[in-house]
Structure formats: structure tokens, C-alpha cells
């Protein structure tokens, strides 16, 4: 009998649509898989088995009644625990929100439900999306299915690990500085950060409002494109949402043709500090693009070297403002409320107990950067650098259609290896941060295994604002070439737990 957990989302949806498998069977197969392996992976913070089976049953009833089904109806999905879901615990990986059950659905969840996807539960993440390894979760780390002694990336490591461990065929992440793409790279999966404003942030618990963006995570490019189409589009509930149609991402993924595409290799994203095996696989992927008919040139984006510094002023500044709402007064954890303390004392005790060290570090950095006398010197200067980075992209896209780089400088590092070195941890996002600062679309696609350690490497593709379809055009072509020439770098080589 076919193992339903090893199939791509498109194939699962086809089986459900034809009645060759019921949505309940599919959901149960994935719940059984989670029960089998998640004690070792710890991808999930909360499993909503009852809700998932009920949603699956509703899909089967729709099919039996002859009602039309969407292209991903009945497909299970893992949801990063930063999105609100009515009645289901939402912690953002933080003890400060332990036990909170939102009274409303995020727009992403509402669209998933409307498209008849089956949400299995909420996945682990770095606390409030602050981290590159999922080690900053208040509930313990998630482990990489390729090597359980290594990190699955962050902040959305739970979502990427659930895909690589075959616990779910689809997942949703959010990307502030690389939190979809970096986990995708180190787990051999597909992760896409849409154009800022292309997917709704309503109900996404904010880290940095000018940077956060929900996006699709999958094991294949077409699966990611179909999920992108489900969650994308204008939302009046989000003031930053773009009132434009979703780019033709599904058609682009299916085309798998990059003949005549102009590809720019970013000179500044490589060299010293990049693992040799990562650079080797990246260069091979660039050569492959040329073999597939693309025109490959080198491009300079000189201000990208300052992106990390600018980001770690802008993001903490927005974070310190956004996290001020967690005050122990309305929801979540409350410490020291014994009737003898003031509200200020309860607030301080709760934040001390509920926030982890990385969250506290970034709140303090951001508060300092925004303080009187330092605003212009730090936050103001960082915003000027952000403008220069956006101009680098604009100039580059005058001569090329997409830009490429490695997704991360290294493969997955060992759990605990960088936990005491914040700067080394931050460098995991060197290649991904520029796209968040500029707001353009970008994605990570598998491009093989590093010869250094046998771990996955990601090809990072960047496209202009609202040209998200170009990402899928490149990703689809690369995926098809790998499948034809040397086997899919994930599906053929991933360890079976």
C-alpha cells in the first residue's frame, strides 16, 4: 500500500479528489507518523488531532456530495505557532503566552480553512521568531531530521522539520530576516518569502511589522506555489496588504523553463566565512542554470555587506515596540499577582519569568536604539542603509531578472554550538536579510548535499517586488533538472527515521 506521508501535496489532493483515498485516511496517516517520530524531532508544540480529523471528514463529505474541491483539499498542513487559530493554543514559542487560546483566526488560517486544507497543529519556533536555530523556543529545541544532533534552522524550524520528517506535506512559516528560507535550506525543503504585502499579516503575532511576511513551505516547488496561491492576495484587514492579484506562481512552477532568463550572481554573498561544500554546490547550481538556458552574469550589490548591521537595529527597535503589549494584564502568563504588588511589579516579574534571554537582548537593543539622543545615530542611520540596499536591488534588476546566492553560509550546525555566540548565530541570515529590508520576493530551493558533511544546501533566488512567479520559474526548472539528472536532493537522500 502507498505510504501517504511520502507523497507530494499535489498527489495527495488528487487521491482525495478521485476518492482513491479519503481525507480522513490521509490525516490519520500523518497523525500516526507524528506519533512515531516526533518524540525525536519535536516539530510540534500542539497537535490538534480532533480538529484535523473533523476538517478531513468535512472534505470527504463535500466530495461525496459532489461539491467542488480546491487544488489542495484534504492535504494536511503544519502551522507555525505564530499565527492565531481560534480556540487552539498560540504561544509563539514563548512561556509568556502559555495557555493563550485566541478568539479569532488569522487571515492565513481563514484562507487555509476556506481551501479545505487540514491543519494538523502548531509547530515549534524560536521565541517570538527571534533566532536562527529554534533553540530559543521556551519549550525546547526542534531537531533536524537529517541529523538529530543538528538544528533545523530558525525561527521556523518546526515547520521545516515537519516537512523533512514526512510529518506533513505542507507547512506555513513567517519570514522576518530568513525564518522561512534558512530552515528550508538546512532541511532540504522549499521555502518562499513572498513580496512584502503579498500575504496578509493579520493574526500573525508581530516581531517587526515592516519586515514580517507569511509564506509557504513544502517539499516540492509546485506544492509551494499552490499553497502560495491559497494564502496570497489582498486583505483589507492588513493595512500593508497590496491590492494586486497574486502573481502567476502556479503556471511558473509548472513551466520549468528558464531559457533566456538573466541571472545575476551576487558578488558580495560568498567567499570568506562560507563553507566550502556550500559554495561548491551553489556554483554547481549556477552552472546548471546556464546549462538550462539562462544567461548568467556577476552582479555587485555593494550595500548588502551592511544589511546585517542595519537589520539588527531596525528589527529590535520594532520588536521592543511590538512586544510591549505582553504586559500580564490581559492574557498569557501572570507572575506575582498576590494582591500585594502593583501592576508595574507584576508586569516586570512576568516579563522576567516569561521572556527568554534572546528576547530580552533584542528588546534592550531596540529600546536603546530608539531612546532620546540615540535615535538618529542608530535607528535613523539603519533606515538610510535600508534605502541603499533597496536601491542596490533596483539597479541590479535593471540588468537581470533574478539574483542568486547561497541561502546560508553553512549547512546545519550542531545544537548548542552557537548558543553562546549571538553574532555567529546572526550570521546564518547574511544572505536572506537584504530581501526583508527591501521587501522583494525570495526563496530557497534544494541544490544538493554538501560534500563536507552530507547535509542539504539551498539555492537562494531573489526576484523584484511582485515578480514572485520568477522564483517558481527558477525553482521548478532546477527541481526538474535534479530529478532528471541525479535524483531529487531531498526525496532520494533524506534519512528515513
Amino acid at each position: 500500500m502507498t505510504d501517504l506521508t511520502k507523497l507530494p501535496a499535489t498527489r495527495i489532493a488528487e487521491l482525495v479528489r478521485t476518492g482513491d483515498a479519503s481525507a480522513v485516511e490521509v490525516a490519520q496517516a500523518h497523525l500516526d507518523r507524528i506519533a512515531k517520530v516526533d518524540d525525536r524531532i519535536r516539530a510540534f508544540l500542539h497537535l490538534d488531532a480532533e480538529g484535523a480529523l473533523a476538517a478531513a471528514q468535512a472534505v470527504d463529505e463535500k466530495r461525496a456530495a459532489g461539491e467542488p474541491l480546491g487544488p489542495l483539499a484534504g492535504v494536511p498542513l503544519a502551522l507555525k505557532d505564530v499565527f492565531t487559530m481560534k480556540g487552539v493554543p498560540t504561544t509563539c514559542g514563548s512561556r509568556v503566552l502559555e495557555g493563550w487560546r485566541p478568539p479569532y483566526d488569522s487571515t492565513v488560517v481563514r484562507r487555509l480553512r476556506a481551501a479545505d486544507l487540514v491543519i494538523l497543529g502548531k509547530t515549534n519556533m524560536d521565541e517570538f521568531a527571534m533566532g536562527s536555530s529554534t533553540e530559543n523556543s521556551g519549550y525546547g529545541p526542534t531537531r533536524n531530521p537529517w541529523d538529530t544532533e543538528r538544528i533545523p534552522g530558525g525561527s521556523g524550524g518546526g515547520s521545516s522539520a515537519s516537512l523533512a520528517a514526512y510529518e506533513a506535506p505542507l507547512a506555513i512559516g513567517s519570514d522576518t530576516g530568513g525564518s522561512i528560507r534558512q530552515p528550508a535550506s538546512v532541511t532540504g525543503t522549499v521555502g518562499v518569502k513572498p513580496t512584502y504585502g503579498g500575504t496578509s499579516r493579520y493574526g500573525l503575532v508581530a516581531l517587526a511589522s515592516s519586515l514580517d511576511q507569511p509564506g509557504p513551505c513544502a517539499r516540492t516547488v509546485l506544492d509551494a506555489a499552490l499553497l502560495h496561491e491559497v494564502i496570497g492576495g489582498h486583505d483589507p484587514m492588513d493595512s500593508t496588504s497590496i491590492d494586486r492579484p497574486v502573481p502567476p506562481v502556479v503556471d511558473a512552477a509548472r513551466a520549468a523553463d528558464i531559457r533566456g532568463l538573466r541571472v545575476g550572481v551576487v558578488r558580495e554573498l560568498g567567499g570568506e566565512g562560507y563553507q566550502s561544500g556550500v559554495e561548491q554546490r551553489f556554483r554547481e547550481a549556477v552552472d546548471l542554470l546556464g546549462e538550462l538556458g539562462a544567461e548568467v552574469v556577476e552582479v555587485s550589490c555593494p550595500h548588502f555587506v551592511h544589511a546585517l548591521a542595519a537589520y539588527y537595529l531596525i528589527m529590535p527597535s520594532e520588536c521592543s515596540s511590538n512586544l510591549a503589549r505582553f504586559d500580564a494584564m490581559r492574557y498569557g502568563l501572570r507572575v506575582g499577582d498576590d494582591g500585594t504588588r502593583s501592576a508595574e511589579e507584576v508586569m516586570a516579574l512576568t516579563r522576567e519569568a516569561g521572556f527568554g534571554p534572546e528576547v530580552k537582548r533584542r528588546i534592550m537593543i531596540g529600546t536603546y536604539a530608539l531612546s532620546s539622543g540615540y535615535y538618529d545615530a542608530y535607528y535613523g542611520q539603519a533606515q538610510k542603509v535600508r534605502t541603499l540596499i533597496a536601491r542596490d536591488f533596483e539597479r541590479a534588476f535593471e540588468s537581470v531578472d533574478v539574483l542568486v546566492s547561497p541561502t546560508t553560509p553553512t549547512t546545519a550546525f550542531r545544537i548548542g554550538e552557537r548558543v553562546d555566540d549571538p553574532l555567529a548565530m546572526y550570521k546564518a541570515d547574511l544572505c536572506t536579510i537584504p530581501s526583508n529590508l527591501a521587501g522583494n520576493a525570495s526563496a530557497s530551493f534544494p541544490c544538493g548535499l554538501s560534500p563536507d558533511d552530507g547535509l542539504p544546501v539551498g539555492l537562494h533566488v531573489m526576484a523584484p517586488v511582485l515578480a514572485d512567479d520568477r522564483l517558481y520559474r527558477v525553482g521548478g526548472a532546477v527541481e526538474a533538472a535534479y530529478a532528471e539528472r541525479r535524483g531529487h536532493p531531498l526525496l532520494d537522500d533524506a534519512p528515513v527515521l
Side-chain angles (χ1 to χ4, degrees), residues 146-215:
W146 289 82
D147 179 348
T148 55
E149 297 303 311
R150 296 179 184 263
I151 59 98
S155 64
S159 290
S160 63
S162 72
L163 297 173
Y166 297 99
E167 295 176 302
L170 296 174
I172 293 288
S174 65
D175 195 307
T176 305
S179 290
I180 288 174
R181 292 161 290 156
Q182 187 253 11
S185 177
V186 301
T187 59
T189 57
V190 175
V192 180
K193 184 201 83 69
T195 294
Y196 181 80
T199 51
S200 174
R201 292 186 301 109
Y202 179 73
L204 165 65
V205 180
L207 165 56
S209 302
S210 74
L211 301 165
D212 301 339
Q213 196 62 192

Side-chain angles (χ1 to χ4, degrees), residues 11 13 19 49 64 69 76 109 176 199 261 298 302 305 383 409 441 452 455 484:
R11 178 59 179 150
L69 298 176
V109 168
T176 305
T199 51
L261 194 76
E298 189 175 81
V305 297
Q383 290 289 15
D452 300 331
L455 295 172
E484 178 182 340

